[in-house]
DNA sequence: TTGGAGTGTCAACAAGGCTGACTTATCCTG
DNA sequence: CAGGATAAGTCAGCCTTGTTGACACTCCAA
């Protein structure tokens, strides 16, 4: 109790507090990816495959270009990942019904199985963290994360959210 | 006890909420690393250099083994990064005073300059996010992140925290 | 019918993870 | 004091996943 009340209320903006936030973000992200990474490695896939599978599941029928802008990688990079997923029968690429230049991406049954396995692992950890922290902490967690995104990324995040809300 | 008002309070644990959390984490981490990544690229360094510099600044005199366990990479991987930092005069490696097998790592003046530049960029974004979300949101943010870490990682995170508290 | 958009492919390269094997120097213990 | 354990560094090679650049194909619309 040796600090004045006004310094208390701004304490969350001190360099020390910010540094703690930076490190928390770093270590938490490791935990966040650890479980799916383990599963992926067993099957000879990487994080890039996870991301592609996640967002195809999330928005079935999405085009390659859509996926590119969501993932923020080059088409060559995505294509390499996509090709192995298609070859392995996890993803199906259908010619667009309106515009035949476009390819619409869907998970196959096998792809859905993998998606569920990965998501469940990641969700379990998220659920534990949410449970431990409680609802109001979760609200704060989401608020800070959303404020941390780039402008254009946040727009995509919110567009994604709207699509199934 | 199915759809009573009490189930409202558990809404933050629905699959939909958890999925939003997962995607928020993914997009926010991109924002989190975007600014330092830009600076690093200009200077021909990568994220791995940033991490090394950050934790050497954080715990001056840390040994290579310490750094290894904090960063969670192999010594070969760390060594590649550390070697360039030492060659470029950003990091100094001193023989341990007690145990001469150990190397103690310090930032040079130039290293500190880079560290400050990187940290300031990252901290600016964190500060904006904190400011936008407010103190109680920040508390929740940290709670969830800490709950998301692996057990052993959390111990290291807390040990780091204690060191300068 | 021609230009542009969307897509895909080839080649080459870099960062930064990994494993395995080995050396050197030092420390500690029996 | 000898020998094993420990800390660090190094070499070689592999993988994933990101990058550029160049180029071809298909299809749509002006």
């Amino acid at each position: 109790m040796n600090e004045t009340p006004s310094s208390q209320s701004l304490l969350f903006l001190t360099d020390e507090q910010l540094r703690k936030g930076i490190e928390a973000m770093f270590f938490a992200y490791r935990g966040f990816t650890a479980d799916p990474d383990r599963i992926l490695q067993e099957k000879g896939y990487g994080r890039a495959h996870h991301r592609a599978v996640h967002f195809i599941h999330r928005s079935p029928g999405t085009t390659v270009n859509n996926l590119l802008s969501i993932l923020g990688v080059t088409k060559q990079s995505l294509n390499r990942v996509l090709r192995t997923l298609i070859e392995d029968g996890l993803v199906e690429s259908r010619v667009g019904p309106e515009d035949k230049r476009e390819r619409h991406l869907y998970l196959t049954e096998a792809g859905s199985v993998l998606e569920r396995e990965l998501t469940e692992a990641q969700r379990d950890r998220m659920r534990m963290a949410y449970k431990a922290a409680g609802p109001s902490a979760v609200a704060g967690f989401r608020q800070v994360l959303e404020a941390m995104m780039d402008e254009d990324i946040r727009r995509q995040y919110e567009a994604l959210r709207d699509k199934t809300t």
Side-chain angles (χ1 to χ4, degrees), chain A residues 106-146:
Chain A
Y106 299 88
L107 292 186
T108 63
E109 249 321 297
S112 293
V113 167
L114 176 62
E115 190 279 332
R116 271 193 295 275
E117 193 180 354
L118 292 172
T119 296
E120 253 157 49
Q122 198 156 43
R123 210 151 45 190
D124 282 352
R125 182 180 295 247
M126 193 67 77
R127 189 180 292 115
M128 277 206 308
Y130 274 22
K131 214 168 195 169
S136 76
V138 167
F141 167 72
R142 287 269 300 280
Q143 275 173 49
V144 174
L145 288 188
E146 284 170 28

Side-chain angles (χ1 to χ4, degrees), chain A residues 78-105:
Chain A
L78 174 59
N79 197 253
R80 183 168 33 201
V81 164
L82 228 37
R83 192 167 44 212
T84 72
L85 290 174
I86 292 169
E87 277 169 9
D88 295 356
L90 301 181
V91 167
E92 194 190 343
S93 167
R94 294 186 208 152
V95 172
E98 317 268 284
D99 187 335
K100 293 178 185 169
R101 290 167 303 179
E102 296 179 343
R103 297 296 179 276
H104 294 240
L105 303 169

Side-chain angles (χ1 to χ4, degrees), chain A residues 7-153:
Chain A
S7 78
Q8 280 263 353
S9 60
L10 288 174
L11 212 58
F12 72 113
L13 279 172
T14 62
D15 281 0
E16 181 64 10
Q17 282 294 318
L18 294 166
R19 204 215 63 237
K20 285 182 187 172
I22 287 170
E23 287 177 0
M25 196 69 185
F26 171 65
F27 288 124
Y29 199 77
R30 282 242 294 272
F32 172 69
T33 55
D35 304 324
D37 278 358
R38 256 189 299 276
I39 295 168
L40 288 157
Q41 206 195 350
E42 286 168 17
K43 321 214 175 219
Y45 294 121
R47 228 175 259 182
H49 299 85
H50 184 187
R51 293 197 283 261
V53 165
H54 175 96
F55 285 107
I56 293 171
H57 164 79
R58 182 72 181 70
S59 309
T62 186
T63 64
V64 173
N65 249 359
N66 266 338
L67 210 47
L68 282 183
S69 68
I70 288 168
L71 297 177
V73 298
T74 59
K75 65 177 173 175
Q76 293 89 333
S77 217
L78 174 59
N79 197 253
R80 183 168 33 201
V81 164
L82 228 37
R83 192 167 44 212
T84 72
L85 290 174
I86 292 169
E87 277 169 9
D88 295 356
L90 301 181
V91 167
E92 194 190 343
S93 167
R94 294 186 208 152
V95 172
E98 317 268 284
D99 187 335
K100 293 178 185 169
R101 290 167 303 179
E102 296 179 343
R103 297 296 179 276
H104 294 240
L105 303 169
Y106 299 88
L107 292 186
T108 63
E109 249 321 297
S112 293
V113 167
L114 176 62
E115 190 279 332
R116 271 193 295 275
E117 193 180 354
L118 292 172
T119 296
E120 253 157 49
Q122 198 156 43
R123 210 151 45 190
D124 282 352
R125 182 180 295 247
M126 193 67 77
R127 189 180 292 115
M128 277 206 308
Y130 274 22
K131 214 168 195 169
S136 76
V138 167
F141 167 72
R142 287 269 300 280
Q143 275 173 49
V144 174
L145 288 188
E146 284 170 28
M148 213 182 310
M149 297 177 195
D150 274 341
E151 269 303 315
D152 50 333
I153 296 295

